[in-house]
Each structure stands twice: as structure tokens, then as C-alpha cells.
Amino acid sequence: SNVVSIGNKYFSVGFDSKGFLSSISLEDGSEHKLSQNFFYYEGAVGDNRVFKNRSSGAYIFRPNSTERWVTDHVNVKVIKGPVVEEVHQTFNDWISQVVRIYRDYNYVEFEWLVGSIPVDDGVGKEVVSRFVSDIQSSNVFYTDSNGREMIKRVRDHRETWNLQLQEEIAGNYYPVTTNIAIEDGQRRLAIMNDRAQGGSSLQDGALELMVQRRLLHDDAFGVAEALNQSYPVRGKHFLIFGKLDGSVPSMAARERFLQAEKLLSPWLFFSDVTSFEYEDWR
Amino acid sequence: RVHLDYLSEVMGVLQHHDAITGTSKEHVTQDYTVQIYSALKACSYSAKIVLNQLTRRQTNTDKPPENEHGSARYKDEATSPEPLFTFDFDSCLLLNVSACEISETRDKFMVTVYNALAHSVFHYIRVPVDGSFEYEVTDYRSVPIPHQIISVPPQVTALHPDKAAGFELVFLATELPPIGYKSFFIVRKPARMLNTPRVLFRDIPEVVLVANNAQMSSDQPQKPPRN
């Protein structure tokens, strides 16, 4: 029932009594609202004869507008040590996550594990991790372009024609290869991923990334199979939060270096040296 | 070269839009997995040979003869003097589910960290280990590396219950040189055997191993790498 926090010399993040991420505190002492949770969209189901009856499937993301939170209470295990501090969160039988802060890194790492997604209820599910802050992003968010420059996205808007969205969720989703971000002139929140995912900002201050999907129907675009395999998937999100003015290094530099370090992360090789003494090896 | 070409070809196949987006049929996806796995294994085998030749050169105390271009190289690796020691460099393809046969079962193992970036980085290393032991992590200067053993969530070990021991050893690898590598010597011991006195060689200067010229020099003071 206690509120817990983990952190390092750069910042700390707090968790509320229900086990959810609730705040982030920067090194200048300022505290900001920041929460994270998992939920899923239910996939649309239809006979695919006309557009409005299209099912959500391998090619298209088409929720039926139903958004369901996976839990209202998270089981939490807190581990603190000299190198890394972690909060192990168990959301339900098929979603868990480790929130991690290393001693010398200025970002928060979220290592999620989702699956096998149950479909005993006959409902296809598209699982999303959503971060909510108090940043006033004014309908604007940014996604990367295949790891290169960031592109400005405006919710419910296209640059070259008047848009009337029929599907307000899927219609605001964009490809996120490495980075999605929001800002309000003072602060910036960026979520970087370890693989290409779909993402959006469906309300001011919020960012979401789809992490896993399991659907029971084909969408009739050619694959002729439903995305109905029960694989568990493990991946990482990296959260960078900070002030835009006076931040050294700048937020953009922090994101760019982290992007390079995660896309070209070090390779590990293991060698059995059982027959050697350390001095020989040295 | 043959193995590299094989991997290149498979990577070419996997550039197909259905392979990238997940819109291929299930059995096709499984075949993609088989192809990329076998190509990686083939290149891993080649890399092992290349790295062992590199080790052989670096651990030879005799200076190899120079050729007409002035580069020091044995004409025939088979005729070069026997190395002081050799070992294999293996990839653990199950690291994404916190499992690695070598690090979880061996009393002594080496972790080599290769930095593919053109600038120096530091990186936290996570190595799957058996949690019933204590560990010592030492770099090539005999400097003990602070580390932490941390449990892996049971949901992760459940993915491979027969392979994952359920713990990870975490330590910071500092100053990984650009396009180069560092190695760490890791020993597991019962807790009572730890903290035994050891001679420290702190006066040995930093040695930077760079992959493209594969030289090891410690005679001259090393300039810190420019970031």
C-alpha cells in the first residue's frame, strides 16, 4: 500500500498505491505527472464485403472503438541496488513489465512482456502501452521517419486536404520506427522503441504504442489468415522526459544518441574460459 | 565469404514487405525464421574462426614477419606459432529471454562487448546467471567491476523454464571504444571465497582494441577517444 519510487542522480519516478507509475521528478526538484498503463482495443469483426464491414487483421488496424483497461491494480516487486533499481509489475496473467533505472542513464527503461493474449472470450485484442503526462501538446505530436528526421503530426488533420476521419483511433496512428514525442514549449516527453510499432497521441499529453495483437479474423487484403498465434512478446520502451530550455545535453541530442545506441546496441560474445586462470587470460 | 553471402541473401529475402510487416502466411513466417537462424549460425561459425585467428595473433609473443607491404602478418596461419591459448566466441540467441547456456553453467566465462558505433559508449551489460552463486567481474586491468545480481520476473523464465536460471548479472562496461571491443572475466564462487586478496595491475595503461587493424599497443600513453 506504500508509494514507492526508484531513481538516480538525474531523476526519479514514483508509483502510486495501486502499483501504477504516477510521477517523475527531475534533478531540479520539479515533479511532473506521468502515468503508464496497458489496455487493449477490441478488433473490429465483419464479413469484409464492404468497407464498413472490414475486420481488423494483418494488414489493417481497425478497432471497434472499445478500449479496455487490463487491470485497476498492479502487483509490484521493488528491487534496489548499487547498479540498477527496478520495479517488477504484474498487470495480469499475460501482461507484466519491468520499469528500470540504471545508475548512470538519464532515461527510464520499460521492458514489457505481453502474451499469450487470451481469446477464450472470442474477442481479438490489440494491446497498447499508453503514457500520460500533463504536457499541453495541443493536438501535435512527432514521429520519426525511418529513424531519421522527426515529422510533425497533427491529430485529426492532414496537410493537403480537409480531413473527416471515419475512424478516429486508427486514422491517427502512424508508424514509429524509433521515436514518438510530444512537447509544449517547456517540456518534452519522448518514447523510443526497440522495434517498429504503431503509435499515436489520441489526447493531449498522452502517447501510446501498440505492442502486440492477436486477431481472430482475416481482413481480406490477401494474407487469407487471421493473426491468431499465441506468441508471447518481450520488448523495451525508453522514456526521456525533460525541459526544453537549458537542458544539457539538449533533449534532441539525448534522443539522438539513445537512438543510435539502441539501434546499434553492443554485441555480446560469450567464451568458456574454465581452463584459464585470470592472470593467463589477462 | 560464403557464409556472409548467405546471410546477405537471406536478409534480402526478408526485406520483402510481408516479412517486415507480418502480413505473410504463418508457414512462410516460420520459414523466414528458419532461414535467418541458419544464416546467423553460419556467420557465427565464421566469426568464431576469424576471432580465433585474431586471438592467435594477439596472444603470440613472437612478432610475425612483415610482408612486402610492410604489414605484419603470417603468410599461412597454419605455420604461425602455437597460440598461448584459444577460446571460442559464442552468441547467445536466447538473451532476449534472459537465457544463456555458457554464462549460466560455467565457473569461468568471458563476456566480450563489441561496440559497432563510431563513438565511444558506456553500456550496462545484463548476463543471465545462476542465482545460487556469487560472482566476480574483472576487466583486463584486474580492476573489479561493481555489479549486481537481480532476479528475472517469473513470467520471463516461464518462457524457457528448462534454460533460464532466473537471474541476471548487471554491470557497467565503460568506455567501449568506437568500432572496438572490451572483454570481461567473470568467475562464479561460493560466497565465502569472495574478497580474497589479489594483486592489482592498476598501472597498466588503457588498451584499446580496434577491429579494423587488430593491434594491441600498450607502450605509449593512450589518448582518450574523441567522442
Side-chain angles (χ1 to χ4, degrees), chain B residues 61-215:
Chain B
T61 52
D62 298 332
K63 189 178 178 185
E66 290 191 355
N67 62 19
E68 64 270 25
H69 303 296
S71 58
R73 177 166 234 177
Y74 291 105
K75 285 182 181 176
D76 182 358
E77 291 293 339
T79 63
S80 64
E82 279 300 306
L84 294 178
F85 60 91
T86 61
F87 38 71
D88 292 334
F89 293 85
D90 289 311
S91 299
C92 286
L93 295 180
L94 292 178
L95 281 180
N96 62 340
V97 288
S98 303
C100 176
E101 195 256 339
I102 292 178
S103 63
E104 290 179 75
T105 60
R106 303 298 195 279
D107 288 332
K108 297 175 188 172
F109 60 94
M110 177 178 76
V111 176
T112 300
V113 187
Y114 174 74
N115 172 27
L117 292 168
H119 60 82
S120 172
V121 296
F122 65 94
H123 191 80
Y124 280 97
I125 308 298
R126 299 184 76 94
V127 179
V129 293
D130 185 338
S132 56
F133 292 88
E134 295 283 355
Y135 288 82
E136 277 185 351
V137 183
T138 317
D139 72 1
Y140 62 93
R141 292 172 299 170
S142 298
V143 177
I145 308 292
H147 58 272
Q148 182 180 340
I149 296 174
I150 198 162
S151 61
V152 173
Q155 294 91 344
V156 176
T157 52
L159 299 175
H160 276 282
D162 55 331
K163 292 185 176 178
F167 290 85
E168 284 182 320
L169 176 73
V170 188
F171 63 93
L172 180 62
T174 58
E175 285 295 322
L176 295 172
I179 321 177
Y181 60 89
K182 270 188 176 180
S183 293
F184 299 88
F185 195 84
I186 300 174
V187 180
R188 73 177 186 186
K189 296 176 178 177
R192 60 185 174 79
M193 291 182 64
L194 282 177
N195 302 320
T196 52
R198 165 179 280 181
V199 178
L200 296 180
F201 299 93
R202 293 183 189 277
D203 54 339
I204 298 175
E206 280 273 337
V207 177
V208 178
L209 302 177
V210 181
N212 59 357
N213 61 7
Q215 288 185 344

Side-chain angles (χ1 to χ4, degrees), chain A residues 23 30 57 103:
Chain A
S23 65
S30 60
R103 195 181 67 172

Side-chain angles (χ1 to χ4, degrees), chain A residues 36-44 56-57 60-64 66-71 91-97 111-119 121 123-131 169 173 193 195-200 202 207-216 227 229-235 237:
Chain A
Q36 184 271 339
N37 200 352
F38 288 94
F39 66 99
Y40 63 84
Y41 296 112
E42 293 183 356
S56 193
I60 58 167
F61 162 44
R62 187 161 191 250
N64 68 3
T66 305
E67 174 182 311
R68 296 196 187 280
W69 297 98
V70 298
T71 184
F91 288 79
N92 58 22
D93 290 341
W94 49 279
I95 298 180
S96 62
Q97 180 173 252
E111 189 167 36
W112 43 267
L113 175 64
V114 176
S116 304
I117 298 174
V119 288
D121 53 3
V123 176
K125 301 176 180 66
E126 319 205 32
V127 184
V128 169
S129 174
R130 178 182 287 171
F131 300 81
I169 298 172
Y173 256 65
N193 48 2
R195 70 200 66 191
Q197 292 167 326
S200 185
L202 296 179
L207 288 174
E208 65 183 60
L209 287 163
M210 183 177 293
V211 295
Q212 166 74 302
R213 31 196 329 237
R214 185 177 182 185
L215 299 162
L216 304 179
L227 267 182
Q229 288 296 322
S230 59
Y231 298 124
V233 179
R234 192 187 190 195
H237 290 152

Side-chain angles (χ1 to χ4, degrees), chain A residues 225 231 270-272 278 282, chain B residues 26 88 90 106 139 142:
Chain A
E225 286 179 1
Y231 298 124
F270 294 83
S271 307
D272 181 356
Y278 172 78
R282 189 181 64 79
Chain B
E26 183 64 23
D88 292 334
D90 289 311
R106 303 298 195 279
D139 72 1
S142 298

